[in-house]
Amino acid sequence: MTSIIDKSGNTVAFLYQNMILDISQQVVIGLLLGNCVFGKQPAPVGKFFNATFRKKNGKIIAKLGEDVLLKKSPKDAHLSLQAWQLLTKVNDHVCIWIDEKKS
C-alpha cells in the first residue's frame, strides 16, 4: 500500500491494488485505471503521471508518498466489491490530454 499525500505532506488517502482508499482504508473513493483517475462520476476526474495525481485542468491534487506497512490488512473482498461498483458506473473511459502545471 502506498500513501497519497497533499501539498503539506499529510497522508490523505492510500493507493492499494489500483484502488484509492480513504484514510481509514475501509472505503474505496476512486480507481486508478491505466493513468486515468476515476471517482464516483462516470468519466475520468483526472490523470496520474510522474507520481502525481492531477485534476483535468492540470493542477496537482496529490502525490504518491511512501510505501506503508499496515498492522492490519484491508478487507480485500469488501474493497473489491466497492471498486467493482465504481467501475460499473464508468461509461466514459477516454482520458483527455492534460497539460502538466507546476502547482
Side-chain angles (χ1 to χ4, degrees), residues 10 27 80 98 102:
N10 300 316
V27 178
S80 294
I98 294 178
K102 297 292 180 193

Side-chain angles (χ1 to χ4, degrees), residues 1-4 11 13 18 22 27 35 40-41 43 49 55 69-70 74-75 77 81 88 100:
M1 182 171 301
T2 305
S3 62
I4 299 173
T11 300
N18 290 13
D22 74 336
V27 178
N35 63 349
K40 297 188 186 303
Q41 299 79 7
F49 55 93
K55 293 181 183 181
L69 294 174
L70 300 174
K75 296 180 175 133
L81 178 61
T88 59
E100 187 173 0

Side-chain angles (χ1 to χ4, degrees), residues 35-37 44-49 52-61 95-101:
N35 63 349
C36 297
V37 179
V45 295
K47 276 189 127 172
F48 175 77
F49 55 93
T52 304
F53 293 88
R54 295 180 182 274
K55 293 181 183 181
K56 287 182 180 181
N57 63 8
K59 290 190 177 185
I60 296 173
I61 301 170
C95 268
I96 62 171
W97 179 263
I98 294 178
D99 289 320
E100 187 173 0
K101 294 184 180 176

Side-chain angles (χ1 to χ4, degrees), residues 82-95:
Q82 290 180 38
W84 184 254
Q85 289 170 341
L86 280 180
L87 185 61
T88 59
K89 293 178 182 174
V90 172
N91 63 18
D92 178 3
H93 51 79
V94 177
C95 268

Side-chain angles (χ1 to χ4, degrees), residues 1-2 14-21 73-76 79:
M1 182 171 301
T2 305
F14 293 96
L15 182 62
Y16 176 70
Q17 297 180 355
N18 290 13
M19 296 178 281
I20 301 170
L21 308 178
S73 65
K75 296 180 175 133
D76 285 354
L79 294 175

